């Protein structure tokens, strides 16, 4: 029974990869990609699947870009490998924020990990200020900076909330 279920899961993943390949997505299992697809679908954005760009853009204007952060309830969304120093690397790290029109923090449910509880929209200037604060405080040259749901609630606005019955 368990072996059959695992085989079914593998077959579905292979099928999903075949579909994704038709729209130019080379690796459906790229870390974070499935959640980015879910967020883009909810917000009506166009997914950008490249690891070296923003996560999504406006459907009718690809120059308007968006960054997605995600976490489970009680966790923190992170920007990984942000440089505190040297200055040139720090500026490049900050460009990952500044290239976006908006930043979104999506909070996923632990019990149903592909279901979104809430999405917050945050202005890049606000996220940049908090990022600078965390980098200045860090003792490491390269850090992960984190943003909790409470931080997003206090510094952004809700743009999607799961309807509870």
């Amino acid at each position: 029974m368990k072996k059959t279920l695992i085989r079914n899961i593998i077959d579905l993943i292979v099928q999903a990869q075949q579909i994704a390949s038709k729209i130019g997505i080379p690796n459906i299992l790229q870390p974070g990609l499935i959640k980015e697809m879910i967020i883009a679908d909810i917000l009506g954005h166009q997914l950008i699947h490249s690891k070296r760009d923003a996560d999504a853009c406006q459907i009718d204007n690809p120059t308007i870009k968006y960054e997605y952060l995600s976490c489970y309830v009680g966790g923190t969304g992170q920007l990984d490998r942000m440089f505190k120093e040297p200055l040139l690397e720090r500026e490049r790290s900050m460009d990952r924020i500044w290239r976006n029109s908006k930043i979104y923090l999506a909070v996923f449910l632990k019990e149903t990990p592909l279901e979104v509880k809430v999405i917050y929209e945050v202005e890049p200037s606000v996220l940049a200020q908090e990022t600078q604060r965390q980098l200045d405080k860090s003792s490491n040259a390269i850090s992960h900076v984190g943003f909790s749901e409470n931080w997003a609630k206090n510094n952004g606005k809700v743009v999607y909330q799961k309807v509870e019955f």
Side-chain angles (χ1 to χ4, degrees):
M1 170 84 168
K2 188 174 182 180
K3 186 172 174 80
T4 302
L5 292 177
I6 289 172
R7 182 74 246 165
N8 289 344
I9 292 167
I10 292 168
D11 290 343
L12 289 170
I13 292 170
V14 168
Q15 183 180 0
Q17 181 58 64
Q18 290 168 344
I19 295 167
S21 293
K22 291 178 183 177
I23 58 169
I25 298 175
N27 179 10
I28 195 82
L29 298 179
Q30 173 182 309
L33 184 61
I34 300 294
K35 287 186 177 178
E36 291 165 6
M37 292 170 87
I38 292 167
I39 298 165
D41 183 59
I42 289 170
L43 296 176
H45 297 158
Q46 176 69 46
L47 178 74
I48 300 173
H49 58 80
S50 165
K51 290 182 68 90
R52 300 282 174 233
D53 202 346
D55 295 322
C57 62
Q58 198 175 82
I59 287 178
D60 58 352
N61 187 347
T63 66
I64 298 175
K65 296 183 177 189
Y66 308 112
E67 187 72 22
Y68 299 153
L69 306 175
S70 66
C71 64
Y72 290 115
V73 172
T76 58
Q78 290 189 2
L79 287 171
D80 294 343
R81 297 191 47 77
M82 296 293 286
F83 281 78
K84 175 180 182 172
E85 54 195 13
L87 182 58
L88 183 60
E89 291 298 328
R90 184 172 177 144
E91 288 171 356
R92 281 193 192 131
S93 290
M94 294 304 294
D95 283 344
R96 291 172 48 201
I97 297 169
W98 291 118
R99 69 184 174 198
N100 300 291
S101 295
K102 302 288 183 193
I103 313 281
Y104 296 91
L105 174 67
V107 181
F108 285 79
L109 298 170
K110 288 181 185 176
E111 319 78 54
T112 50
L114 298 179
E115 191 172 357
V116 176
K117 171 191 165 196
V118 63
I119 300 175
Y120 297 92
E121 180 183 271
V122 179
E123 293 298 325
S125 60
V126 174
L127 195 101
Q129 184 177 4
E130 175 61 14
T131 299
Q132 297 279 21
R133 187 192 71 75
Q134 289 186 39
L135 288 174
D136 288 343
K137 194 174 93 163
S138 176
S139 58
N140 301 320
I142 303 173
S143 298
H144 300 319
V145 292
F147 308 91
S148 68
E149 181 177 359
N150 277 341
W151 182 88
K153 191 182 299 184
N154 292 329
N155 292 279
K157 67 178 183 180
V158 173
V159 293
Y160 169 84
Q161 188 145 26
K162 180 181 182 307
V163 179
E164 301 284 338
F165 292 102

